[in-house]
């Protein structure tokens, strides 16, 4: 096992990784920006190194600064958490060149999955279901029109380098295609430095369902089942749950097995998430893969009992999955996560400032992952996530009741948060019945007064 690990992140995920290291007997090194001097990840690490000014580009995203800290502290490995450098293949390559183990997949695999059209073709070859779409990159609007005629409208243009919904355009008729092609191309070029586009059949009102996988460095891959992530606003997830009510045991088994085969073939390693869209016929189609630990991993931890961050560390140290995981993985009960963001309840603008009162709920089946505390400060430079509230119950009904009571007991004063929004969602009959898709929040917010 590693002797010493550097955590290249901040906030709740930095604490989450530090905790896993501590429990495995690994020494820890935190890095922090000038805005995070008083953060808990600095306090709870064995060592902490300041790596620069508050802006992420000047500190947490600065590869030479992070690598210098790792070399000065003489660590064996770096855990990138989520966001920041976690899906940066160049960073993983620099780690490799510096003889520091990057806790994640090999850079070649990260790069493949970052090129969405290539990832799609790789999945197709391995018989993972994909949507009808273009055969590779579309060079011109004319080529796009030909592809759309074959696929059938509506179609969606997506950026090869994309993610997060940027550089995407829905096209409903041939006449609209040229303008939308050029708009998507320009947006993608601006956002990713690469304007290349591909096309898929557009799924109306899809559900967003993702499969969690773990892969060791000996060719073994397991599926830790799915999460339902349709409750989102502007591509930011708000609530995640597992299992999905829409996925039958047969479909879960089928997709899980296909993914294990496919990811072994690709040479995947460590934790990963495979995103699917579910259409009205409850069929699943691959859209993209995330090559990192995700924000919502605790939902999977709750239903499987697997500590995924410890698993990541043990995999990266060379252990085999059969020594890490229980002999048989099974779904136990139902889990839900609410992301508590520091934001204005109506305008959704970030709400930075000092937290004056902070009460975290607890009790049976309740988990809170946060790096915040009373008198703590939410700086304006970073992600607005202040806490994750995760509940686990025998079934969805118990988990829902548990979440409602835990939200009532979660007190954050001094800044605005999304707690009231979550309370309102849990009162909604469609949400309670599990009847929702990725358009739920738009309809929900549209209906409300103000
Ligand atoms: C789609 C789609 C419908 N049809 N692809 C949005 C972000 C990117 N990761 C994929 N996205 C979508 N791709 C086809 N062929 C609808 C979306 C989409 C969406 C997907 C998942 C979660 C929320 C979403 C919100 C709007 C659109």
């Amino acid at each position: 096992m590693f002797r010493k690990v550097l955590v290249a992140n901040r906030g709740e995920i930095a604490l989450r990784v530090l905790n896993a290291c501590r429990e495995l007997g690994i020494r820890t090194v935190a890095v922090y920006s000038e805005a995070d001097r008083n953060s808990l990840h600095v306090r709870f690490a064995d060592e902490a190194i300041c790596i620069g000014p508050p802006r992420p580009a000047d500190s947490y995203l600065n590869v030479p600064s992070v690598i210098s800290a790792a070399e000065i502290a003489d660590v064996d490995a770096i855990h990138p958490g989520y966001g920041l450098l976690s899906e940066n293949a160049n960073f993983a390559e620099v780690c490799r060149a510096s003889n520091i183990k990057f806790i994640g997949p090999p850079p070649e695999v990260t790069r493949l999955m970052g090129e969405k059209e290539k990832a799609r073709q790789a999945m197709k070859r391995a018989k993972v279901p994909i949507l009808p779409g273009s055969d590779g990159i579309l060079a011109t609007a004319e080529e796009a029109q030909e592809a759309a005629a074959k696929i059938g409208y509506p179609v969606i243009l997506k950026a090869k380098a994309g993610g997060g919904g940027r550089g995407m355009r829905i096209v409903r008729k041939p006449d609209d295609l040229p303008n939308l092609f050029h708009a998507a191309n320009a947006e993608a070029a601006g956002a990713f430095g690469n304007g290349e586009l591909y096309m898929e059949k557009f799924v109306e009102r899809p559900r967003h369902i993702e499969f969690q996988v773990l892969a060791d460095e000996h060719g073994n891959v397991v599926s830790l089942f799915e999460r339902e992530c349709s409750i989102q606003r502007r591509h930011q997830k708000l609530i995640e749950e597992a299992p999905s009510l829409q996925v039958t045991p047969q479909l879960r088994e089928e997709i899980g097995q296909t993914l294990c085969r496919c990811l072994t073939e690709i040479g995947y390693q460590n934790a990963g998430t495979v995103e699917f869209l579910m259409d009205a016929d409850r069929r699943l189609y691959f859209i993209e893969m995330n090559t990192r630990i995700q924000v919502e991993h605790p939902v999977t931890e709750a239903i499987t009992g697997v500590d995924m961050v410890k698993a990541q560390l043990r995999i990266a140290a060379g252990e085999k999955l059969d020594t890490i995981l229980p002999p048989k993985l099974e779904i136990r009960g139902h889990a839900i996560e609410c992301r508590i963001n520091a934001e204005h309840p109506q305008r959704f603008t970030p709400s930075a400032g000092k937290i004056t009162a902070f009460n975290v709920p607890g009790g049976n089946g309740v988990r809170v992952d946060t790096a915040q505390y009373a008198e703590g400060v939410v700086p304006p430079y970073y992600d607005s996530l202040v806490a994750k509230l995760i509940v686990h119950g025998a079934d969805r009904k118990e988990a829902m009741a548990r979440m409602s009571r835990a939200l009532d007991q979660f007190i954050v004063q001094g800044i605005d948060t999304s707690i009231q929004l979550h309370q309102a969602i849990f009162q909604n009959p469609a949400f309670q019945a599990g009847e929702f898709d990725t358009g739920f929040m738009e309809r929900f917010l549209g209906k409300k007064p103000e």
Side-chain angles (χ1 to χ4, degrees):
M1 186 34 80
F2 303 120
R3 180 183 46 87
K4 202 175 187 186
V5 168
L6 182 143
V7 182
N9 216 301
R10 63 179 304 282
E12 67 86 20
I13 193 64
L15 277 191
R16 171 72 189 84
V17 177
L18 290 173
N19 290 343
C21 290
R22 173 70 53 99
E23 291 174 22
L24 288 173
I26 303 167
R27 283 185 60 80
T28 55
V29 180
V31 291
Y32 64 98
S33 76
E34 287 161 12
D36 281 339
R37 280 189 191 287
N38 299 317
S39 298
L40 290 188
H41 78 283
V42 173
R43 186 182 307 190
F44 292 151
D46 294 316
E47 297 168 46
I49 302 175
C50 183
I51 51 166
R55 290 199 342 246
D58 299 330
S59 49
Y60 297 106
L61 286 173
N62 186 321
V63 172
S65 301
V66 173
I67 295 289
S68 300
E71 294 198 318
I72 288 165
D74 189 26
V75 300
D76 311 308
I78 298 181
H79 194 302
Y82 53 69
L84 300 176
L85 297 170
S86 61
E87 295 183 280
N88 183 326
N90 296 334
F91 176 67
E93 266 170 359
V94 175
C95 289
R96 184 188 271 169
S98 310
N99 258 319
I100 300 164
K101 178 74 179 182
F102 174 82
I103 300 170
E108 296 76 18
V109 178
T110 299
R111 199 165 276 130
L112 168 72
M113 294 306 172
E115 297 188 32
K116 308 298 169 182
E117 166 54 24
K118 281 197 189 148
R120 189 177 128 81
Q121 295 305 331
M123 292 289 168
K124 182 183 179 180
R125 278 194 296 280
K127 304 279 191 293
V128 178
I130 61 166
L131 289 157
S134 60
D135 216 12
I137 299 300
L138 300 160
T140 62
E142 291 70 43
E143 218 178 275
Q145 251 169 340
E146 280 169 37
K150 276 193 204 144
I151 297 162
Y153 288 85
V155 295
I156 183 167
L157 291 165
K158 294 187 176 185
K160 158 191 162 153
R166 276 187 301 179
M168 278 183 14
R169 290 292 185 283
I170 302 160
V171 191
R172 297 200 173 272
K173 50 186 202 293
D175 286 353
D176 297 344
L177 214 162
N179 282 338
L180 293 170
F181 184 91
H182 295 296
N185 174 255
E187 190 175 306
F192 313 115
N194 181 320
E196 291 182 294
L197 303 175
Y198 66 102
M199 182 183 285
E200 282 175 355
K201 178 84 185 168
F202 178 67
V203 182
E204 306 275 4
R205 294 176 133 221
R207 284 176 173 263
H208 180 187
I209 292 170
E210 55 188 32
F211 277 70
Q212 177 67 56
V213 298
L214 284 175
D216 67 19
E217 302 189 353
H218 309 275
N220 307 297
V221 185
V222 295
S223 164
L224 299 189
F225 318 112
E226 79 285 356
R227 296 182 288 259
E228 154 68 64
C229 304
S230 299
I231 306 296
Q232 55 82 43
R233 185 185 165 275
R234 302 210 179 152
H235 306 295
Q236 292 293 333
K237 293 170 186 166
L238 292 171
I239 300 173
E240 304 95 348
E241 61 180 283
S244 164
L245 300 177
Q246 313 303 320
V247 175
T248 61
Q250 190 196 326
L251 182 58
R252 178 176 299 127
E253 181 67 24
E254 199 180 295
I255 297 285
Q257 285 202 6
T258 308
L259 287 178
C260 290
R261 243 196 311 105
C262 171
L263 294 171
T264 300
E265 241 173 76
I266 286 170
Y268 199 82
Q269 290 175 5
N270 219 280
T273 298
V274 188
E275 293 187 7
F276 291 85
L277 295 182
M278 180 181 266
D279 68 8
D281 298 330
R282 295 191 185 178
R283 275 194 273 260
L284 288 172
Y285 302 95
F286 168 82
I287 51 168
E288 50 191 87
M289 179 163 191
N290 303 315
T291 55
R292 58 168 192 276
I293 189 87
Q294 286 192 260
V295 174
E296 58 271 31
H297 75 274
V299 156
T300 298
E301 295 189 318
I303 61 153
T304 61
V306 174
D307 185 317
M308 289 180 42
V309 178
K310 278 188 194 165
Q312 285 193 290
L313 289 157
R314 293 175 64 181
I315 286 168
E319 280 190 53
K320 289 187 172 169
L321 278 180
D322 60 13
T323 69
I324 298 172
L325 301 173
K328 189 159 169 50
L329 284 168
E330 275 172 340
I331 299 178
R332 252 195 60 241
H334 197 93
I336 312 176
E337 170 179 281
C338 284
R339 297 191 188 189
I340 314 291
N341 291 320
E343 65 190 15
H344 188 277
Q346 277 90 43
R347 287 180 273 123
F348 295 98
T349 48
S351 174
K354 185 165 176 164
I355 294 175
T356 53
F358 199 67
N359 182 66
V360 166
N364 200 5
V366 176
R367 165 177 174 181
V368 176
D369 278 20
T370 184
Q372 281 307 336
Y373 54 94
E375 311 286 294
V377 171
V378 179
Y381 312 101
Y382 313 109
D383 191 285
S384 62
L385 186 74
V386 290
K388 305 189 303 205
L389 171 55
I390 305 103
V391 298
H392 185 212
D395 52 27
R396 189 168 187 265
K397 184 162 174 274
E398 185 177 53
M400 299 271 289
R402 195 159 269 169
M403 182 63 86
S404 287
R405 76 92 176 148
L407 284 165
D408 289 344
Q409 295 169 351
F410 208 142
I411 298 167
V412 183
Q413 281 166 10
I415 57 166
D416 291 323
T417 75
S418 50
I419 292 173
Q420 303 98 301
L421 176 66
H422 284 299
Q423 285 171 319
I425 296 170
F426 276 77
Q427 297 299 313
N428 179 273
F431 177 73
Q432 287 174 355
E435 285 160 14
F436 51 78
D437 54 68
T438 51
F440 175 86
M441 283 308 294
E442 218 171 308
R443 295 191 295 276
F444 178 80
L445 294 167
K447 263 188 255 159
K448 285 201 350 175
E450 288 168 325

